[in-house]
Amino acid sequence: MKKVFFSIIIGLSMLAHANAFEGDAKAGKTKAATCAGCHGTNGIGIMGSYPNIAGQHADYIVKQLKAFKAGTDRSDPVMSPMAAALSEQDMADVAAYFASFGRDGSAPAGAETAATDNDAAATPAQVTRAPAKAAYVANAASGKALYEHGDTTRGITACIDCHGKEGNSQVLINPNLSAQHPEYIEKQLKAFKAETRHNASMNQISGNLSDEDIANLGAYFKDPAAVGEVKASAAKVVVKSFTGDVAEGKIKSATCAACHGADGNALVAMYPSLAGQSEAYLVKQITDFKTGTRQDPVMAGMVAALSADDIQNISAYFASQTLNPAIAESNERGKSLYLSGNAKAGITACVACHSISGKGMDKAGFPAVAGQSATYLKSQLEKFRTKARTNDTNSMMQNIALKLTKKDIEAVANYMASLK
């Protein structure tokens, strides 16, 4: 969670296409009647294990309904059959209805909403929460510190970057956590940790959380405003470990220096810098060049004679080096696409996989893009768009790049290059 919980809802499930249907809150009120049994007539869950969806981003609600309907990334014995009968328009309408409420289940002042004077404003059920362990008392301050600062020594990124200050997400495909039942937050974090709920980013982040961490985060969300200012834990030196032999990789990488630099920092903008890139990602790309899954006339010849050990060692060497970020200027168009995508165009936010800092997600197989040459980034997005490059998992990058205009590609490439 260092600067990522954002997106968090990040991963394969996050890469589902954004909702292209305009929702009708009034129509959604009728269609949402069956939802009231668990989520209340105004989106306030009737007990702690049911989420509050009042005031939630409509895009996020639609995304989760689609996931339940597809049954691949998220399943539930109650929600899955409920979602199965919904059309995309139904989902958009139901989402618009619940999004029309305030986070506390109230109708926005002065605005016409799907609620009427006869709709009783439900209040969250009072549920006694059992501690994660009998001997452990959850600490809200520790939960806030983890939420706002993460823990780099354990590979936990700060949740605030995806879910916003006090849980008020500014990214439409990432859920608001404010006014959510703490019990529900804990339940979902445990599901991500156990990988019974699938999202590449959240699975990776939650996998590093202890039961105490999860209890602390839940305690923080009982009343975020009640917790004072907190500081990050004292920084510790993080020693990276690699599968490959770094020393052997340095020797084997001699022929790579002409294009990628002796330390993995390319001197020519058209070539990618490999320094600091994920070892696993580098192994995949070199292997793909060798097998022809990713095609390039120069790289194919360079890697043809490499053994599996050579590839692992070279990857470890470059992963162990420090990146010298490219010089680039940020821009608002690129920033908007990177952080929020474009719902109408069906463009998913880049932050979902590459993290808010652009450092990628090693375990999920998503590469770092921060500080990479804008020239190289543009060339790869163009290749994905034209299907000249097709070695992305489940065609995720191809599907996204296909919807990008040339101006979009230039803007988002420059923004990614500007990240440090």
Side-chain angles (χ1 to χ4, degrees):
M1 304 180 180
K2 179 183 174 183
K3 285 191 173 181
V4 186
F5 220 63
F6 36 75
S7 121
I8 293 216
I9 311 261
I10 319 150
L12 301 182
S13 64
M14 295 186 73
L15 293 169
H17 295 317
N19 179 39
F21 290 77
E22 291 294 332
D24 183 328
K26 290 183 178 180
K29 179 182 179 181
T30 301
K31 296 174 181 179
T34 55
C35 310
C38 295
H39 302 290
T41 57
N42 61 347
I44 298 298
I46 63 172
M47 59 186 296
S49 59
Y50 299 139
N52 293 333
I53 51 179
Q56 187 59 269
H57 295 310
D59 293 53
Y60 177 74
I61 295 175
V62 169
K63 179 179 175 298
Q64 298 311 305
L65 287 172
K66 286 184 176 180
F68 280 125
K69 183 172 183 175
T72 51
D73 297 320
R74 193 171 183 184
S75 62
D76 181 90
V78 176
M79 283 303 304
S80 295
M82 297 282 266
L86 298 177
S87 67
E88 291 199 37
Q89 186 63 62
D90 292 336
M91 292 179 187
D93 294 343
V94 169
Y97 170 65
F98 285 119
S100 72
F101 290 96
R103 301 280 178 79
D104 60 353
S106 61
E112 181 182 355
T113 71
T116 69
D117 292 337
N118 296 323
D119 291 326
T123 56
Q126 297 299 311
V127 179
T128 301
R129 174 174 161 273
K133 292 182 180 179
Y136 184 74
V137 178
N139 187 309
S142 294
K144 181 175 183 178
L146 192 61
Y147 183 87
E148 293 189 349
H149 303 289
D151 186 340
T152 57
T153 64
R154 293 189 288 146
I156 301 172
T157 54
C159 318
I160 192 173
D161 294 306
C162 284
H163 298 285
K165 183 175 176 60
E166 295 185 353
N168 295 296
S169 169
Q170 300 303 306
V171 182
L172 298 183
I173 61 169
N174 292 344
N176 291 311
L177 303 181
S178 65
Q180 188 56 269
H181 292 306
E183 295 88 349
Y184 180 74
I185 292 175
E186 293 182 43
K187 176 184 175 183
Q188 297 312 304
L189 287 173
K190 289 178 180 178
F192 281 126
K193 181 175 181 178
E195 297 190 10
T196 54
R197 179 175 176 183
H198 303 288
N199 177 282
S201 301
M202 288 301 301
N203 292 148
Q204 177 178 340
I205 293 165
S206 298
N208 294 326
L209 295 175
S210 67
D211 288 344
E212 288 80 7
D213 293 330
I214 292 174
N216 291 342
L217 287 166
Y220 168 54
F221 276 104
K222 278 190 171 180
D223 188 1
V227 184
E229 293 298 315
V230 295
K231 295 182 179 180
S233 301
K236 299 177 182 178
V237 177
V238 181
V239 180
K240 290 185 178 181
S241 60
F242 303 97
T243 302
D245 186 314
V246 173
E248 286 294 323
K250 182 176 182 179
I251 296 171
K252 285 288 183 179
S253 70
T255 56
C256 310
C259 295
H260 301 291
D263 61 351
N265 284 289
L267 299 178
V268 180
M270 65 182 288
Y271 301 130
S273 287
L274 308 181
Q277 187 59 270
S278 159
E279 180 182 6
Y281 180 75
L282 291 175
V283 167
K284 181 184 186 302
Q285 298 311 304
I286 298 174
T287 301
D288 285 354
F289 280 126
K290 184 178 174 70
T291 62
T293 304
R294 181 176 177 184
Q295 299 185 346
D296 182 275
V298 175
M299 284 302 300
M302 297 293 284
V303 303
L306 296 178
S307 67
D309 284 344
D310 292 337
I311 292 173
Q312 191 74 58
N313 295 339
I314 289 171
S315 298
Y317 169 65
F318 283 125
S320 71
Q321 302 303 296
T322 302
L323 175 70
N324 296 327
I327 298 175
E329 292 185 6
S330 178
N331 64 82
E332 288 305 311
R333 180 174 185 157
K335 181 178 181 179
S336 177
L337 283 169
Y338 187 87
L339 295 178
S340 303
N342 184 328
K344 289 185 177 180
I347 300 170
T348 305
C350 314
V351 68
C353 295
H354 299 289
S355 89
I356 198 165
S357 62
K359 298 299 174 62
M361 299 182 185
D362 293 1
K363 293 181 181 179
F366 300 132
V369 292
Q372 188 63 261
S373 158
T375 299
Y376 176 72
L377 291 171
K378 284 189 285 185
S379 73
Q380 297 310 297
L381 286 172
E382 286 287 0
K383 286 183 177 181
F384 280 125
R385 188 169 72 89
T386 61
K387 297 188 182 298
R389 179 177 173 182
T390 58
N391 73 322
D392 50 324
T393 303
N394 296 327
S395 301
M396 292 187 293
M397 284 303 304
Q398 295 174 69
N399 292 333
I400 293 170
L402 184 65
K403 300 177 179 68
L404 297 172
T405 65
K406 288 191 174 183
K407 287 186 177 180
D408 289 338
I409 287 176
E410 182 173 4
V412 77
N414 284 331
Y415 177 74
M416 290 189 290
S418 73
L419 293 172
K420 300 294 185 287

